[in-house]
Amino acid sequence: MARGSMGAGSRRGRGRGTAGREESALNGLEVELDQLLEEHREGMVVRTGLRCRHGLYPVLACSWSDTDVGRRFLACSQVEEPCDFKYWIDQKFDGRAKRVIEELVFMNQSLTELYVHSARQWDELFVSRQKARETICELSETIREQRSCIVILLCFTAVIAGGLWLVL
Ligand SMILES: [Zn+2]
């Protein structure tokens, strides 16, 4: 869709008669928009002549879906019940740019999946390590107890042997 699909951004009918005045107004609006976009970031309210169906100033947004990734647009500022106002700031990508964006989106999804998978593996490794440590602690405790038993048994045997030697 071409820039300015709705509202004051529409370019249809420009170039003749009163359209000339409309065009200069649009150019003025675009200059104003460009200045604001330089200063504003995503989510910021853009105070130009454009208003959504609620009559509110729109907010700057950026598309993150499919081939529209990276395209900026103005949208309704209402979070709970937004209207359908949408004013595209950037042209739709086509040709080589579109293919590159599709590949980048695919790569981004692959990297996200890889990250999630790695994070899950890391969590599992961490749990295994904790269990191994607990097992080592239990084994150490068991060895310590058995060593004490052996010492007691040796002492007991020595006492019995000494007693027997005295009797004989
Ligand atoms: Zn709205």
Side-chain angles (χ1 to χ4, degrees):
M1 191 183 291
R3 181 173 177 167
S5 59
M6 290 188 60
S10 174
R11 286 184 169 186
R12 271 177 293 179
R14 66 184 245 197
R16 256 189 276 159
T18 55
R21 206 167 21 181
E22 188 189 330
E23 187 180 9
S24 66
L26 281 176
N27 285 341
L29 177 67
E30 286 178 10
V31 170
E32 200 181 346
L33 252 181
D34 285 342
Q35 285 173 349
L36 279 165
L37 294 173
E38 284 296 315
E39 300 160 12
H40 288 75
R41 287 183 294 178
E42 204 175 339
M44 296 294 282
V45 175
V46 178
R47 296 177 196 280
T48 63
L50 292 172
R51 305 254 187 160
C52 76
R53 293 189 192 282
H54 290 107
L56 302 168
Y57 287 118
V59 289
L60 177 63
C62 185
S63 175
W64 293 107
S65 60
D66 301 327
T67 53
D68 284 327
V69 165
R71 282 182 78 199
R72 295 170 304 170
F73 62 95
L74 299 179
C76 179
S77 60
Q78 291 286 297
V79 178
E80 290 182 1
E81 287 185 35
C83 61
D84 61 350
F85 175 82
K86 201 172 203 178
Y87 177 85
W88 287 103
I89 293 161
D90 298 312
Q91 298 278 355
K92 197 167 181 64
F93 302 113
D94 57 6
R96 172 95 181 122
K98 187 180 169 186
R99 281 198 297 279
V100 169
I101 289 168
E102 282 171 351
E103 283 172 23
L104 288 172
V105 169
F106 176 74
M107 281 167 64
N108 185 41
Q109 285 170 347
S110 302
L111 283 173
T112 304
E113 284 169 15
L114 186 66
Y115 171 77
V116 170
H117 182 69
S118 301
R120 204 176 296 136
Q121 276 191 327
W122 172 255
D123 287 344
E124 285 170 8
L125 276 173
F126 186 77
V127 171
S128 301
R129 187 167 164 241
Q130 288 293 104
K131 281 183 184 169
R133 276 188 174 178
E134 286 170 13
T135 308
I136 288 169
C137 283
E138 285 169 11
L139 281 172
S140 299
E141 187 64 28
T142 307
I143 288 169
R144 209 173 296 126
E145 284 171 6
Q146 286 182 350
R147 201 178 283 161
S148 304
C149 287
I150 289 168
V151 169
I152 290 167
L153 199 65
L154 282 174
C155 291
F156 188 67
T157 310
V159 168
I160 290 173
L164 282 173
W165 183 76
L166 284 175
V167 168
L168 297 172

